[in-house]
Every structure is written in C-alpha cells, then in structure tokens.
Amino acid sequence: MPLPVLEVDLGPGVRAGFTTRHGGVSAPPWDTLDLGLNVGDDPQHVRANRARVAGWAGVPLAWASQVHGTTVHVVGGPGDAARDTVGEADALVSADTGTGVGVLVADCVPVLLADAEAGVVGAAHAGRRSLAAGVVQAALAAMVARGADPRRVRAAVGPAISGPRYEVPEAMQREVAAVVPETACRTDRGTPGLDLPAGVAAVLRRAGVAEVLLTGWCTDTDERFFSHRRAQRAGTTTGRSAGVVALTGG
C-alpha cells in the first residue's frame, strides 16, 4: 500500500510532502508513522518508519535534533542520511540529488522550500521561538548562498496548530507579534492566540518568495496528524510527523 504522504508541488525534479500518522509500524500512543526518536517510541520502529518515508522520497533523508533555534545544517552528502541526526539544527538545506531533508513536528510548522532551477531545497521547523528568532530567513539565506533566488523559490507551509486553537498568554502573544505581527490572532474562545502558519507565510513573502502554499490543515483538530497539545489534554504522549523535500534529479 502506498504511504499516505500529502504531496505538494514545489517544482520539476522536486519531491515534497507532509506525512500523516498513518502507514507505519509504531504501537500506540505513537501509532503508527512516528518519526521522532526522542518521544519514547521504540527506536527501531522509528528507524523503520523513517526508511518508509525515505522510500517515498526516493532518496535517503537527513534529520536533525531540533532545539527551537535558527541553526541551519547544509547537507554534505549521503553520510548525513546514514545517521539518526546531523546534530542540533532547526533547518536543513540540500543541493545534493542523493540526499533529501526532513523536519519533525507535532503542532509546530514544517516549512518546505525549493528552487528547482538552482537545484536547492530546504526544510525548516518553525515553532513559536524559532519563527520569532528567524529560522525561516536563515534557511532561505543558506539556500541563496548555494544559488537559489527567493523569486524562484516555491514554499509550502505544512500542517500545524491553527491560530484559533493555539491559545497563549497575552504577554507571549505580544512578544512574538513584536517580531512577526501577522501571528497575532484571537482563538475560537476569544482569547489571545498565535497563528504561526500566517506568520511563516508573511515572513516568506517579505523575503521575496512569491509562491507560498498554505496547506491550512490544523494538527490540533485533524486527527490525521500528531498533536502535542491534543495529547497533553488526553494525558498521554504522541509521535512526530514530518515535512520532507528532496531533489529527485528528474
């Protein structure tokens, strides 16, 4: 059975998409396509799931240990995909047709980027802290340094918790909105919220990226996806989905 990855078009010769919870081997509460090695799941199950996603992508995938920062890891070759992690980073960039990149999420925003003409792709993990700190801009800058042009870049803003479901203290809302104003919103309860996907899209457009796809899927309400907040309310833990992007060479 084909892996149920939600594919997005980022240009010719690019394979990109967002995983769901389905199609893997992990047992509850990580059922089933858990891709996170630091959430308590059996590491062998996670590695098997990652191999399935790499099979979908058509090339091995490099992953990082995400710390809500702005460090970008530039893939150096297939060796990066042979490890569980390339080290601490919240964005990865590849100009190697033999190695794709992935970022892990369970409410944060997976951002996929590609300049098909230049042959450069990137992925960023944009949570509240990393978005405000500039992880999206850092990923784009690393791509530009390798020949990408923001005007050619296609971007996809993947499944994440939506503004109406992401309630935060008012002081936290002000702190993030001071850097990315478009994040400020009200939740469906009328309380202060953060719309991280809207913030990511605004940052991309200000950086010159004209083609920005907002998928609009909310991880908190759509049970196809892992959600940290939904798991917290249920008193349990959960797995990690991913955004993945690779150059196929086609």
Side-chain angles (χ1 to χ4, degrees):
M1 173 183 284
L3 198 66
V5 178
L6 304 172
E7 190 165 3
V8 291
D9 181 6
L10 294 188
V14 177
R15 181 86 147 151
F18 303 99
T19 67
T20 69
R21 292 174 55 190
H22 307 299
V25 300
S26 293
W30 305 281
D31 47 330
T32 62
L33 193 68
D34 173 31
L35 302 170
L37 280 167
N38 298 307
V39 294
D41 194 0
D42 183 331
Q44 295 309 314
H45 289 169
V46 174
R47 292 183 184 112
N49 290 337
R50 288 185 174 187
R52 291 188 179 196
V53 177
W56 174 87
V59 295
L61 298 170
W63 307 91
S65 300
Q66 297 167 188
V67 294
H68 298 276
T70 61
T71 298
V72 182
H73 176 85
V74 179
V75 168
D80 280 353
R83 296 180 280 162
D84 286 339
T85 175
V86 297
E88 292 187 353
D90 283 87
L92 298 98
V93 165
S94 178
D96 181 355
T97 55
T99 311
V101 294
V103 289
L104 303 169
V105 290
D107 284 334
C108 292
V109 187
V111 188
L112 302 182
L113 307 162
D115 181 340
E117 183 177 327
V120 186
V121 297
H125 161 248
R128 168 180 55 85
R129 296 196 300 273
S130 52
L131 173 61
V135 70
V136 176
Q137 297 94 318
L140 273 171
M143 291 176 65
V144 169
R146 281 144 191 89
D149 183 334
R151 294 169 297 181
R152 290 194 306 257
V153 168
R154 293 189 190 181
V157 181
I161 192 167
S162 62
R165 302 292 294 186
Y166 189 14
E167 182 178 2
V168 296
E170 188 171 355
M172 183 181 292
Q173 184 196 58
R174 287 198 303 268
E175 179 184 355
V176 178
V179 183
V180 188
E182 295 81 1
T183 57
C185 69
R186 308 302 287 183
T187 69
D188 52 16
R189 299 172 55 192
T191 54
L194 287 173
D195 189 336
L196 298 183
V200 168
V203 167
L204 287 166
R205 290 178 179 127
R206 276 196 289 275
V209 179
E211 191 166 339
V212 180
L213 169 66
L214 271 161
T215 61
W217 294 306
C218 175
T219 51
D220 189 54
T221 59
D222 190 334
E223 294 196 1
R224 288 179 300 170
F225 307 106
F226 294 111
S227 169
H228 175 67
R229 285 211 162 192
R230 189 172 65 238
Q232 276 190 321
R233 290 196 301 271
T236 184
T237 188
T238 194
R240 295 293 183 268
S241 303
V244 297
V245 60
L247 296 166
T248 64

